[in-house]
Amino acid sequence: PYDIATFTTKTMHSPQSLLSTALLLLLNLHAAVGSEGDDHAFEWGASFELLANESYVWQAQKTGCPVENQTYVDPSMMFVLVPLDNSTVEGLKAAEETAEELLEGDLTVVTPALQSIEPGVGIQLVFDSEASTSMFPFTVSKGGAYGIFTEHVPDEFEFDEHYLVTANGDDVEPVALLIEEDGHSHGHTTECLEPTDRPDCSCLVGDLGELDCANTTSVEEAMQYLNDNKCNEGCNCYDEGCA
């Protein structure tokens, strides 16, 4: 669906504009080559009841473990916000064709912290590789039902924050989903940073005094104990589970 010879983008004025445009061209070339057989340009769709002139923030986070090595699942994501007749699943389905056309057309490159998400515009969100969380603020002038369609499931970009929040940080939950979320939990780190099925490994040696390195049996037993209780798995093991 993308003709590089005639492909155009509208970039926001920022130091990242040229880089973002080049990245977008490469991403859409890849999409054009690999899209045969795909049913939709989007993987996820949800409806929301949004208030007029309320400040909202769409968020994407780096994930993985350890924290210092976290990365974004993908460097960017196609995104579109469209008004709906109502916030039901039927209302979402009625907007699918519109969302599809917008995501397969010319895309506006949007970089973090710019007031640039507008209803009815196909967008390529480009994440800030230097930041752990990329934030995209927006408002709607008319309150009511809106649908958000994205190239990827937003949960994939959640570490410890919800993908859509108000300016005060309150979670904004979807009313209806086209793709049912499976076991969704906003705080992926909660179960792993505060596990109930294993000890706090950082406190295990607090009162033991000096370690006798000559007593290899005790050292080996201590190491085995830590391994058995998964204390060697770092700060965030939600991909494999913490049991």
Side-chain angles (χ1 to χ4, degrees):
Y2 299 96
D3 182 357
I4 298 302
T6 59
F7 183 79
T8 60
T9 60
K10 297 174 287 183
T11 59
M12 307 308 297
H13 296 290
S14 74
Q16 296 174 310
S17 293
L18 291 177
L19 178 60
S20 298
T21 303
L23 175 60
L24 180 58
L25 286 169
L26 290 174
L27 288 168
N28 283 284
L29 176 60
H30 174 74
V33 173
S35 63
E36 292 184 5
D38 291 345
D39 293 331
H40 296 289
F42 59 86
E43 183 177 337
W44 181 91
S47 65
F48 298 86
E49 290 288 344
L50 304 180
L51 301 177
N53 302 315
E54 176 82 12
S55 295
Y56 297 99
V57 181
W58 184 269
Q59 301 187 122
Q61 294 185 292
K62 292 181 177 180
T63 59
C65 183
V67 171
E68 58 269 21
N69 293 336
Q70 287 184 331
T71 59
Y72 290 103
V73 175
D74 280 290
S76 71
M77 180 174 70
M78 292 192 297
F79 176 104
V80 67
L81 170 68
V82 295
L84 304 176
D85 292 335
N86 58 71
S87 57
T88 64
V89 172
E90 290 72 21
L92 268 175
K93 289 182 177 180
E96 280 188 275
E97 185 175 348
T98 298
E100 195 85 23
E101 291 175 353
L102 290 169
L103 292 176
E104 290 181 344
D106 294 344
L107 300 176
T108 296
V109 174
V110 174
T111 52
L114 294 174
Q115 191 79 7
S116 49
I117 292 178
E118 298 180 5
V121 177
I123 287 171
Q124 189 88 36
L125 300 177
V126 178
F127 308 132
D128 183 356
S129 62
E130 300 299 317
S132 59
T133 301
S134 291
M135 295 179 287
F136 304 90
F138 69 94
T139 62
V140 293
S141 59
K142 182 180 179 181
Y146 286 83
I148 294 178
F149 298 84
T150 59
E151 181 181 7
H152 305 295
V153 178
D155 293 9
E156 298 174 15
F157 296 88
E158 284 189 351
F159 180 65
D160 57 3
E161 296 285 344
H162 191 36
Y163 51 78
L164 181 60
V165 297
T166 65
N168 294 326
D170 297 324
D171 293 352
V172 180
E173 299 292 354
V175 177
L177 292 167
L178 280 184
I179 301 176
E180 194 66 33
E181 294 173 302
D182 183 17
H184 174 59
S185 173
H186 292 172
H188 288 307
T189 58
T190 301
E191 62 177 339
C192 299
L193 289 176
E194 300 175 354
T196 58
D197 56 351
R198 61 185 183 181
D200 180 356
C201 305
S202 63
C203 300
L204 289 176
V205 297
D207 300 321
L208 296 182
E210 295 183 2
L211 178 65
D212 182 6
C213 296
N215 188 344
T216 57
T217 299
S218 294
V219 172
E220 290 174 357
E221 288 177 351
M223 179 62 71
Q224 188 61 49
Y225 178 82
L226 293 174
N227 288 335
D228 290 345
N229 286 278
K230 298 185 181 293
C231 297
N232 60 327
E233 293 193 4
C235 61
N236 179 18
C237 55
Y238 63 83
D239 285 335
E240 294 78 25
C242 298

